[in-house]
Amino acid sequence: MKQEKTTVVEHHNFQGDYRILRMAAPEIGPLVKPGQFLHLLIPHLGDRILRRPFSIYKADTGGVSILYKPVGRGTESMIPLRPGDAVDIIGPLGNGFPALGNNKLPVLVAGGYGNAALYLKAKESPVKGVAFFGGRTAEDILCIEEFQVLGWDVRPATDDGSLGTKGLVTAAFDPWMQELGAGSGAQGVEKLELFVCGPNPMLKAMGDRAIKHGFTAWLSMDKNMACGVGACLTCVIKRRTTNGWEWARCCKDGPVFESREIIWE
Amino acid sequence: MKQEKTTVVEHHNFQGDYRILRMAAPEIGPLVKPGQFLHLLIPHLGDRILRRPFSIYKADTGGVSILYKPVGRGTESMIPLRPGDAVDIIGPLGNGFPALGNNKLPVLVAGGYGNAALYLKAKESPVKGVAFFGGRTAEDILCIEEFQVLGWDVRPATDDGSLGTKGLVTAAFDPWMQELGAGSGAQGVEKLELFVCGPNPMLKAMGDRAIKHGFTAWLSMDKNMACGVGACLTCVIKRRTTNGWEWARCCKDGPVFESREIIWE
Amino acid sequence: MEPENSTPPPPNSPPKQPAMAVRIGSMTMRNPVTVASGTFGYGPEYADLVDLNRLGAITVKGIGPEEHIGNPTPRTFETRGGMLNAIGLPGPGAQGFIDKYVPFLAPYNVPVIVNIWGKNMDDYGKVVEILDDEETVSAYEINLSCPNVKEGGSAFGTDTDSFSRVIELVRGKTQKPIIPKLAPNVSDIGAFAKAAEDSGADAISIMNSYPAMAINIDTLEPELANRTGGLSGPAIKPIAIKLVWDAAKATKLPIIGMGGIYEPEDAIEFMIAGATAVAVGTANFTDPSTVARVIDGIEDYLEQKGHSSVADIVGTVKA
Amino acid sequence: MEPENSTPPPPNSPPKQPAMAVRIGSMTMRNPVTVASGTFGYGPEYADLVDLNRLGAITVKGIGPEEHIGNPTPRTFETRGGMLNAIGLPGPGAQGFIDKYVPFLAPYNVPVIVNIWGKNMDDYGKVVEILDDEETVSAYEINLSCPNVKEGGSAFGTDTDSFSRVIELVRGKTQKPIIPKLAPNVSDIGAFAKAAEDSGADAISIMNSYPAMAINIDTLEPELANRTGGLSGPAIKPIAIKLVWDAAKATKLPIIGMGGIYEPEDAIEFMIAGATAVAVGTANFTDPSTVARVIDGIEDYLEQKGHSSVADIVGTVKA
Ligand SMILES: Cc1cc2nc3c(=O)[nH]c(=O)nc-3n(C[C@H](O)[C@H](O)[C@H](O)COP(=O)(O)OP(=O)(O)OC[C@H]3O[C@@H](n4cnc5c(N)ncnc54)[C@H](O)[C@@H]3O)c2cc1C
Ligand SMILES: Cc1cc2nc3c(=O)[nH]c(=O)nc-3n(C[C@H](O)[C@H](O)[C@H](O)COP(=O)(O)OP(=O)(O)OC[C@H]3O[C@@H](n4cnc5c(N)ncnc54)[C@H](O)[C@@H]3O)c2cc1C
Ligand SMILES: Cc1cc2nc3c(=O)[nH]c(=O)nc-3n(C[C@H](O)[C@H](O)[C@H](O)COP(=O)(O)O)c2cc1C
Ligand SMILES: Cc1cc2nc3c(=O)[nH]c(=O)nc-3n(C[C@H](O)[C@H](O)[C@H](O)COP(=O)(O)O)c2cc1C
Ligand code: FES
Ligand code: FES
């Protein structure tokens, strides 16, 4: 974990409302593991004082990129950022996704900026499996080609049917899982190892399936954060323990948890 | 008095550290009288909430201009303003300078942005007299040619002697006044009518001379302001009354006062 | 979405506007928005910029029994997210107010709340005696919490006994609504809200600026001539919301909520916390169009949420 | 300018560095800057980003007698110029602290101030009994002002009697410096400062976050699960400065000042107001380099103003 007072290298529209912000990060860049995030101090945020967390989309010695959509005070204040502007980042934060288990079939499930959070995982994975991406409409589904180029079988699902299956991501995932033999105790389903990043209902839906059908699902949890480093205890979720539960900090102990660890509220 | 949510028309370096900001002001522009000021809500001032007052340098249907030097949080935040950017102004504020008295010889005395505050007065004045401008060095003395073009006899004074008389503005003014016959009760001196805008010591020096030698001096006073419209009672100075003194609001009752009205603290 | 069994509105009928009026004792405000005392002068200062007839009420700068000069300068100082003031209640006094400002205010069709203060108990009575015959004066806001005058003032606001006695005294002198303004720097605002109710107040207002200070590290002098002052502006809003919520649990009196209202959403938050009306203060300095924007914004919110009256949202916080 | 009669420094002698060390009872801090409890975890959380050995002291998150789960989420909320928190003092308890964090902290060459809290009087005693043999524990900050636990806590901070009794109890259990942390929501902080002194405290710290609230106007729910929380950050600095100034007039005890310190100038302002040491809180979240920047900035200021020791500026306000 490092703090870098650095500069914007690139900033442009990506797709739909999504934008890509790339920042120089000679110290942080080389440390990044898939599923980790940055804590960004947005300049000119007026009288707002907290940083905002962003999943790391790409990272190397040349810099770190994030993919975001302006939805609130922080992300909207990012729009005018231009190359050369000063930014302040802390990262890489969190534990990220674990390595793919032996003989496991990797499945990526994402929605919104979740696709960004999974890109490094998709790249690193020794086996390329299936990627289920959900969105409201075709333009909300990010980076399809990038994942295809890496060798993933991308299966989009859109609420309006403008791309792939019509419906939620589960509308694409469930029939596929049935084919593998879900509910029939077949080997296929237990071999699945899911890496999921997206809105809470998607995380929960995938977590529930993992528990029901006995496969592994790593869920990247989204909780508001203040410090981002484990100090303030803002971002806690309930984690199952042998004799009950404990608070786990999303920023430090997560953001990735296995579905069985999580007690949903 | 109007409030206009308007835009920047022009913004550039002027001379030395000074900059000119011109804003569209179809409603305010035509109302402006010499010596009045604007109350500017500076955009992107972070967690600072108060407006900043600026003398009106030029004004017409095309807009209003101010001349400023970045010296603090507010003025420094103005530097990035570009044409088209939104700004919010209230004006024209204050009473400005009165009309030149009959048979009076007008004298302008200014330092720093005071020169800007006097430009409209210089233009409007039916008689063009002498203008004493003080500054640290040559580049601090603004708009000399503009005043000359209007027909004024400009006499600069600089601390370092790089332009005009070496010394304070009084070093140029006093000998000139002596020539007119100061202290000798001669007609010349009593005919003077001074319009002064500059730092406090300059205002006081000129006020003292006016009282001592029996001429008129209109001093544009500089006090920190909050509301700018007479409501908050932040900007008060002591004004002499027949039986003592009262608070007068710089923003509403001023900013211009005659030297005899002011009780210096 | 229309519920299935509702009758659709007749075609072309104008959409129902929510009722915006609120009552503070016997005073009716056409909408719940007034201005905070001391941030709007006596009315004329902002008349060019704000349509005074749009306001729910005009609350004027604090008036004492006699003319008062207030504090030396500097009187205000900008801080992060707020400002300090120690104006010290300069003003023309009760008779001066009648002479100088009542003729201006009288023609407007808007209630005038006069904020009153005193150096001692008697002073409060005197102000009311002088003002009470003026029809233009609709109600009294009793400043029991000014952090900026040495004499009395704020002490009345932090001790329930003298607090109650001032209110009872004023109550004995007028039939008009009286609205004690509570000091924020107390551990138990509920006790003061209750005491106000028990002493015959018609409403309470919360909060005055919070006792505070800034020091210049080069001169070692306080930034205000009065040394300390009151903090106002967006910085204090979360403190004010809690005080209003606490007070609303302790009393049935209507509350005029204030402290850092800059946006309609801020005003709505105060009302949900328990305020019947709100006052825009420091925001007038930042943007005199705030009051109008807040009134419009409350109305839009009510329409959007399907409320027929502004009273529907008061105290609706789920807490 | 050199005064005429001063001896010029010998050529090439290094410029004199001002003495930065301060004492809080028997504890020496190498410089006057610590961190505010609850904003810096227990030490390890920021160890990658902040050189812990540079700090004057590490103040850890509040520790109760036993493990405690704290409040449900959301626990924090951003406001204009500040933030609300209602963490609710989750933590491993005194023994858990010894097991989990003392081994990490012990090797550092920096005093550790343990912030302690209890649901009742006895709890405070218990925490101290468990911790007192640990050499790593240098001092206790007694949290008598947490706005976020229902049981006791903040009540102790707003009543001088129970306030004094907690301090006396703790005093009876330890020789180490004890530093009561005062509640800000009182009318007369001086009375608490004085009570702390009379009860045997070695120092006091001011201020805890201020009781406050925010409400979501769409859901009508408070933004914090605990409903109310404490306001911290730049918004409250002018309140904290006044409290420190008031307290400094009432007691000779050293004061640890905090509330919105973001820049070295803020820390210096606290010291001029009367604080012997300062704590950086919410600013750690915004920028973990603040602590180092504040230490350097105080040193620069002392040099620039020609002070030989940081003690020279404490309480020098001309007021
Ligand atoms: C691990 C993680 C990874 C993320 N990755 C991405 C990403 O890759 N791309 C992306 O676009 N977004 C990402 N987000 C979300 C992002 O951090 C922002 O929260 C989001 O974009 C909205 O921020 P905003 O400032 O624009 O909105 P805001 O104006 O801040 O508001 C959003 C809402 O959150 C509340 N809020 C904000 N911060 C806090 C806080 N600390 N405590 C309590 N409430 C708070 C606000 O009150 C508001 O209701 C991620 C979040 C997490 C936790
Ligand atoms: C009538 C009038 C006309 C002016 N005309 C011009 C002009 O033409 N050009 C020009 O450059 N400047 C002009 N000024 C000064 C200008 O308004 C600014 O104050 C100045 O430029 C510095 O502002 P700043 O925000 O950059 O500095 P700041 O960061 O605001 O600080 C300057 C100092 O003033 C203090 N301060 C600021 N506002 C207040 C307040 N309301 N109450 C108490 N203290 C406060 C700050 O604490 C600080 O010490 C004028 C001032 C007045 C009163
Ligand atoms: C410059 C100024 C002057 C004030 N004068 C008074 C006053 O005369 N009487 C009073 O009761 N409150 C006075 N107040 C307090 C306000 O009425 C209000 O309670 C406080 O500022 C909080 O609201 P705000 O944050 O919206 O400004 C004054 C506030 C300011 C900023
Ligand atoms: C997230 C958070 C947690 C806190 N936890 C504690 C605590 O456990 N014990 C305590 O005495 N104060 C606690 N505080 C209060 C701080 O120590 C400090 O007094 C307050 O935040 C004001 O300082 P600041 O404005 O610099 O943050 C906490 C503050 C925050 C923001
Ligand atoms: S955000 Fe502070 S502990 Fe996670
Ligand atoms: S600035 Fe408010 S009265 Fe002049």
Side-chain angles (χ1 to χ4, degrees), chain C residues 158-180:
Chain C
T158 56
D159 165 55
T160 40
D161 284 345
S162 50
F163 177 85
S164 298
R165 273 188 290 139
V166 175
I167 298 168
E168 283 159 15
L169 176 89
V170 173
R171 180 73 298 163
K173 308 237 179 229
T174 184
Q175 307 284 335
K176 297 180 182 180
I178 60 178
I179 313 162

Side-chain angles (χ1 to χ4, degrees), chain B residues 150-211:
Chain B
L150 290 175
W152 291 81
D153 173 5
V154 179
R155 315 253 180 128
T158 51
D159 296 356
D160 64 358
S162 55
L163 187 71
T165 310
K166 184 172 157 81
L168 298 176
V169 81
T170 45
F173 178 81
D174 287 346
W176 177 81
M177 186 179 62
Q178 291 297 336
E179 271 172 48
L180 278 185
S184 65
Q187 264 282 333
V189 177
E190 278 141 38
K191 260 172 60 181
L192 296 182
E193 184 161 352
L194 268 59
F195 301 91
V196 190
C197 190
N200 262 322
M202 180 187 281
L203 294 170
K204 179 145 192 332
M206 290 300 151
D208 288 348
R209 282 163 179 71
I211 291 166

